[in-house]
Amino acid sequence: MRVEQIGDCTLYNADCMDVLPTLGSVDAVITDPPYSVSVAGSTVTGRKGKGTRNLDFFKGDTDWRGMTSIVGDAMSLAIQKGPRSFVAWCGHRQIGRIVDELEGSGFATRLIYWRKKCPPPSPPGAGFCSAAEHAVYGYKPGRQWNGGQYEHNVFDADSYRFGQPGKVAHPTQKPFALIAWNVRVLTDPGDTVLDFFMGSGTTLVACAKLGRRGIGIEIDPGYFDIACKRIEDAYKQPDMFVERPAPAEQLSMLGEAK
Ligand SMILES: C[S@@+](CC[C@H](N)C(=O)[O-])C[C@H]1O[C@@H](n2cnc3c(N)ncnc32)[C@H](O)[C@@H]1O
C-alpha cells in the first residue's frame, strides 16, 4: 500500500475495503463510486472520426450486482467513521443499496442532482444522453449546513471535454465546481472529508482549496498518481480568503482536535 501526505490531505493507493477499517473519525463523506454503467470492451468513435470514448470504465464495473455489493459494503465501513453528512454520486442501479445503508444507520436521505447544459452524446443505442446525474445525500442531526434555506438540490455544471484546461486522464472526472459545492455547503474549514473512491482526486482538490482536511483512497496506481499531482498543484494556488486548518497540536491544546 502506498500512502502520501500532501498538505492536509492523506492519500492511499489501495483497496478501500483494506483501508477503511484503519481510519479514525471523519466529519463528512463525499464520494463517487464506479456507477455500474460500463459497456464491456466498448470503444466508441464520434462522428467524422473525432472523439474516441472508451465506455468500459473500471475493473468489475460491468457486473452491476457485484459492484453494488462492493459499494454497499464500503459504505457500511465508512458510516462507522461517524460522518454526519454523506454524499454518494452513483448510478441508478445503486440507489436502493446506498439508501438502505444510510437509512439503516440513522441517516435521512434525499437525492441531489448535477445538470449538464451541454451533455456528451448518448452511448450507442441508449437514446437519451446523460444530461443529469444524481447523488444520494444522507444527513444526521448536528451536521454542518452552510447553505441557505433555499439552497437548490440541483447544480449546473458541464463535464470536462478532452483538451479543456483542468481535464486529466480519468474517464469520469467530476467537475471541480460540483464537488466544491458539496464540500463548501456540508463542511467547515478544518473538517475532515473522506472520499474512498477518489479517482483523479477532485474531492481532495476541493478540500485543499477550501481549507478542509481530506482522506482519499484509490485502487488504481495511475489514477492515484494523477490525484497526487492535482492536489500538489492545488496547494500551490489555494483559493483566496480561505483559512487553512490550524495545526493538530494547537487544536488539541484547546481540546478541539478531530
Ligand atoms: C467514478 S470514479 C471517481 C472519479 C472522481 N470523483 C474524480 O473526479 O476523478 C471511481 C473510482 O473508484 C476507483 N475504485 C474502484 N474500486 C475501488 C476500490 N475497491 N477501492 C478504491 N478505489 C476504487 C476506480 O479506480 C475509479 O477511479
Side-chain angles (χ1 to χ4, degrees):
M1 179 192 309
R2 216 175 118 202
V3 186
E4 297 286 344
Q5 183 69 41
I6 305 171
D8 294 309
C9 292
T10 312
L11 287 73
Y12 297 85
N13 179 202
D15 188 326
C16 62
M17 299 302 288
D18 295 331
V19 177
L20 284 167
T22 71
L23 298 178
S25 66
V26 303
D27 297 294
V29 172
I30 298 170
T31 197
D32 179 20
Y35 279 18
S36 300
V37 293
S38 290
V39 183
S42 168
T43 300
V44 180
T45 301
R47 285 200 303 174
K48 299 182 184 167
K50 288 183 180 167
T52 298
R53 293 161 73 205
N54 179 8
L55 301 174
D56 187 358
F57 295 130
F58 306 113
K59 193 165 169 277
D61 195 36
T62 52
D63 166 19
W64 73 265
R65 289 186 179 84
M67 183 53 78
T68 302
S69 170
I70 291 169
V71 170
D73 291 350
M75 282 192 61
S76 163
L77 292 173
I79 286 168
Q80 290 171 31
K81 306 300 156 189
R84 301 207 153 261
S85 296
F86 203 119
V87 174
W89 292 95
C90 63
H92 62 284
R93 299 179 179 102
Q94 300 167 334
I95 292 179
R97 175 73 193 264
I98 291 173
V99 168
D100 200 24
E101 288 293 340
L102 289 168
E103 296 268 349
S105 300
F107 285 84
T109 58
R110 306 191 57 171
L111 290 179
I112 60 176
Y113 300 90
W114 163 26
R115 178 170 53 193
K116 307 168 198 178
K117 287 194 175 143
C118 185
S122 61
F128 296 105
C129 60
S130 174
E133 296 187 22
H134 46 254
V136 179
Y137 162 51
Y139 56 102
K140 277 186 171 176
R143 82 199 193 279
Q144 192 56 43
W145 178 254
N146 299 326
Q149 196 182 352
Y150 294 102
E151 186 74 36
H152 288 200
N153 66 342
V154 180
F155 191 90
D156 289 328
D158 272 312
S159 326
Y160 288 105
R161 298 302 204 254
F162 285 98
Q164 190 182 340
K167 171 68 186 160
V168 295
H170 188 286
T172 65
Q173 179 187 359
K174 283 278 182 297
F176 169 76
L178 174 74
I179 302 300
W181 169 61
N182 292 161
V183 171
R184 187 173 41 75
V185 170
L186 301 177
T187 66
D188 265 350
D191 282 352
T192 300
V193 180
L194 167 65
D195 181 356
F196 49 93
F197 291 109
M198 175 174 69
S200 68
T202 308
T203 304
L204 276 78
V205 170
C207 288
K209 285 188 168 284
L210 296 172
R212 277 65 167 171
R213 302 173 207 276
I215 301 172
I217 312 172
E218 170 56 45
I219 201 167
D220 182 289
Y223 299 148
F224 181 80
D225 286 342
I226 290 171
C228 290
K229 167 86 171 55
R230 287 184 77 200
I231 294 154
E232 278 164 10
D233 290 349
Y235 275 113
K236 288 180 193 153
Q237 199 178 32
D239 284 2
M240 291 173 76
F241 310 124
V242 173
E243 280 186 34
R244 299 278 310 282
E249 314 80 78
Q250 205 175 320
L251 281 172
S252 61
M253 282 171 64
L254 300 171
E256 292 172 11
K258 297 199 173 187

